[in-house]
């Protein structure tokens, strides 16, 4: 009998190892590609590139000096506060129609947003995977479902990527969009190596340095600065990160990507603004990493620096990437926007807003708020 039990354990262990191996088989591909040839030569010519890596215009530390020792203990505390206590309300079929000549937007959660500008559709940082990680076995998992399946997306004219972190550049989504759509991918320098490894045709990859631009579907896309970092492995800053300006004949949109606050927003606003809509990150901030993620008050300041008319907050609600309570980013944003007389659009995931008719904000997140801190 003992022999049978031992054999059973061996079989079970073998099956577990085989299952783990199967689940991890795609990890090397998830890590992306490495630039070489003319792509690498072009990266080295960038004003942002020196000493083998890209650099911020204003120096930025990943973690503030002296804060690292307490981070692990902090991550283990108050985890329930960092998640919604009730299901997040989703919208599968927006009642607001796409703006034919203006600017409208559908926010799907985190940074993934479909912006409709002058009748064209631009998809920012699409992530449809369940986890933002090189493996779907571990890593930050969605705190709410996607409002619609990827196959339900309308035809898009461009896909725009801000940088190569897993919560902004998702291999499975890129491969699906490559198969089901024909739109080009506009990316900062170096990210084309990831896309090529994932079988995106070279003629669908447009790589830009900061202040370079390209015209797609009648829209002008300009890569602009951000204060952040990059990397899908332990190696950092081997691809460029950035924000984006999308300009039509009359309307303009700014997407900040990921960034700490810096004085570059005023320069971007002066050179490319004003903007009908800004997509500003408001979550995943911490005093432990103030240089690379702005807080909600800084997002409002950046929006004003840019000359924005309507602010749509992104980079919150979907993945637990910091220590703040789940609803804190939008609560702080709402208060600061009132104080600074800034127009907000805070749609439920999957809902559409029209910037020409962005009415009173409804605090829908109150329905999903977690328990109050003790």
């Amino acid at each position: 009998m003992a022999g049978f039990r031992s054999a059973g354990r061996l079989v079970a262990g073998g099956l577990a190892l085989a299952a783990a191996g199967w689940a991890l088989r795609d990890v090397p591909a998830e890590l992306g590609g490495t630039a070489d040839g003319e792509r690498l030569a072009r990266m080295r010519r960038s004003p942002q590139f020196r000493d083998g890596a890209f650099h911020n215009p204003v120096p930025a530390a990943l973690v503030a000096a002296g804060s690292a020792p307490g981070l692990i203990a902090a991550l283990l505390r108050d985890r329930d506060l960092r998640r919604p206590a009730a299901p997040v309300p989703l919208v599968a079929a927006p009642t607001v129609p796409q703006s034919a000549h203006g600017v409208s937007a559908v926010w799907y959660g985190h940074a993934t947003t479909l912006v409709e500008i002058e009748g064209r559709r631009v998809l920012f940082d699409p992530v449809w995977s369940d986890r933002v990680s090189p493996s779907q076995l571990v890593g930050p998992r969605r705190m709410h479902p996607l409002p619609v399946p990827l196959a339900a997306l309308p035809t898009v004219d461009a896909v725009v990527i801000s940088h190569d972190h897993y919560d902004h550049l998702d291999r499975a989504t890129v491969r699906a969009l490559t198969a089901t759509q024909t739109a080009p991918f506009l990316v900062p320098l170096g990210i084309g190596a990831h896309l090529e490894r994932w079988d995106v045709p070279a003629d669908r990859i447009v790589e830009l340095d900061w202040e370079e631009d390209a015209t797609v579907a009648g829209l002008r896309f300009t890569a602009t600065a951000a204060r952040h970092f990059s990397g899908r492995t332990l190696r950092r800053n081997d691809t460029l990160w950035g924000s984006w300006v999308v300009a039509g004949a009359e309307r303009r949109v700014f997407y900040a990507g990921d960034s700490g606050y810096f004085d570059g927003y005023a320069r971007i606003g002066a050179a490319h603004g004003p903007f009908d809509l800004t997509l500003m990150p408001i979550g995943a901030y911490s005093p432990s990493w103030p240089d690379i993620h702005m807080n909600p008050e800084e997002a409002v300041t950046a929006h004003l620096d840019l000359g924005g008319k309507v602010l749509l907050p992104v980079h919150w609600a979907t993945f637990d990437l910091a220590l703040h309570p789940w609803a804190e980013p939008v609560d702080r944003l709402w208060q600061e926007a009132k104080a600074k007389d800034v127009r907000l659009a805070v749609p439920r995931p999957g809902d559409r807003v029209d910037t020409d008719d962005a009415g009173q904000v409804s605090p829908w997140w109150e329905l999903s708020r977690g328990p109050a801190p003790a």
Side-chain angles (χ1 to χ4, degrees):
M1 184 65 69
F4 284 116
R5 285 198 297 269
S6 297
R9 285 195 293 269
L10 286 171
V11 171
L15 290 174
L17 286 173
W22 177 259
L24 295 172
R25 72 193 186 284
D26 290 333
V27 168
E30 291 281 355
L31 302 180
T34 302
D36 57 13
E38 176 52 32
R39 174 174 286 115
L40 180 59
R42 188 179 172 202
M43 291 163 56
R44 288 171 171 166
R45 293 193 297 268
S46 169
Q48 283 61 249
F49 193 91
R50 63 180 183 276
D51 301 325
F54 288 101
H55 293 264
N56 280 295
V58 178
L62 268 64
V63 179
S67 64
L71 281 178
I72 294 177
L75 285 168
L76 299 176
R77 293 194 302 267
D78 300 326
R79 284 180 291 181
D80 288 344
L81 296 179
R82 303 200 297 267
R83 303 184 64 83
V88 173
L90 307 177
V91 177
T95 57
V96 175
Q98 175 181 343
S99 176
H101 305 291
V103 175
S104 50
V106 181
W107 177 60
Y108 293 107
H110 198 57
T112 303
T113 311
L114 179 68
V115 169
E116 298 149 332
I117 175 170
E118 296 181 352
R120 303 296 188 182
R121 298 189 185 101
V122 180
L123 184 61
F124 289 99
D125 284 354
V127 174
W128 257 259
S129 287
D130 190 46
R131 294 184 187 270
V132 285
S133 165
S135 169
Q136 290 300 297
L137 291 177
V138 295
R141 192 171 191 174
R142 284 185 182 277
M143 296 187 290
H144 66 79
L146 279 149
V148 296
L150 186 59
L153 271 186
T155 300
V156 300
D157 295 286
V159 180
V160 175
I161 305 297
S162 63
H163 63 296
D164 71 359
H165 288 160
Y166 290 94
D167 57 322
H168 294 259
L169 178 63
D170 178 45
R171 173 177 172 263
T173 303
V174 166
R175 288 173 60 84
L177 289 171
T178 302
T180 61
Q181 301 265 357
T182 60
F185 293 80
L186 292 104
V187 300
L189 289 179
I191 293 179
H194 298 326
L195 302 188
E196 285 192 352
R197 182 168 187 185
W198 302 337
D199 299 323
V200 179
D203 62 3
R204 288 181 61 181
I205 301 172
V206 180
E207 283 181 270
L208 298 178
D209 200 352
W210 293 348
E211 296 303 325
E212 292 182 341
D213 62 71
T215 299
V216 174
L219 301 173
R220 188 174 74 253
F221 294 80
T222 305
T224 45
R227 192 184 185 202
H228 200 53
F229 68 107
S230 68
R232 294 176 75 83
T233 65
L234 295 178
R235 182 179 178 185
R236 301 298 185 192
N237 302 340
D238 52 353
T239 63
L240 186 59
W241 52 93
S243 56
W244 288 89
V245 171
V246 184
E250 302 291 338
R251 302 301 189 106
R252 293 170 183 262
V253 172
F254 176 79
Y255 173 50
D258 260 5
S259 181
Y261 180 77
F262 72 121
D263 59 5
Y265 289 117
R267 292 192 292 273
I268 293 170
H272 302 287
F275 297 99
D276 297 274
L277 177 68
T278 69
L279 307 176
M280 305 302 297
I282 66 165
Y285 53 83
S286 171
S288 296
W289 49 84
D291 295 346
I292 56 172
H293 281 163
M294 68 183 97
N295 62 40
E297 294 79 14
E298 290 170 329
V300 169
T301 300
H303 168 83
L304 293 171
D305 290 347
L306 290 158
K309 297 177 182 177
V310 177
L311 188 162
L312 193 157
V314 299
H315 208 267
W316 75 284
T318 306
F319 299 106
D320 180 7
L321 302 175
L323 303 176
H324 55 68
W326 178 76
E328 183 184 283
V330 71
D331 285 338
R332 287 174 56 173
L333 177 75
W334 200 15
Q335 292 302 315
E336 185 71 3
K338 289 177 182 177
K340 298 292 177 64
D341 196 26
V342 166
R343 290 176 63 203
L344 289 183
V346 189
R348 293 169 175 81
D351 209 357
R352 175 182 282 112
V353 293
D354 187 329
T355 59
D356 289 337
D357 191 28
Q360 187 81 15
V361 173
S362 174
W364 56 264
W365 57 90
E366 295 281 358
L367 301 174
S368 303
R369 181 187 302 282

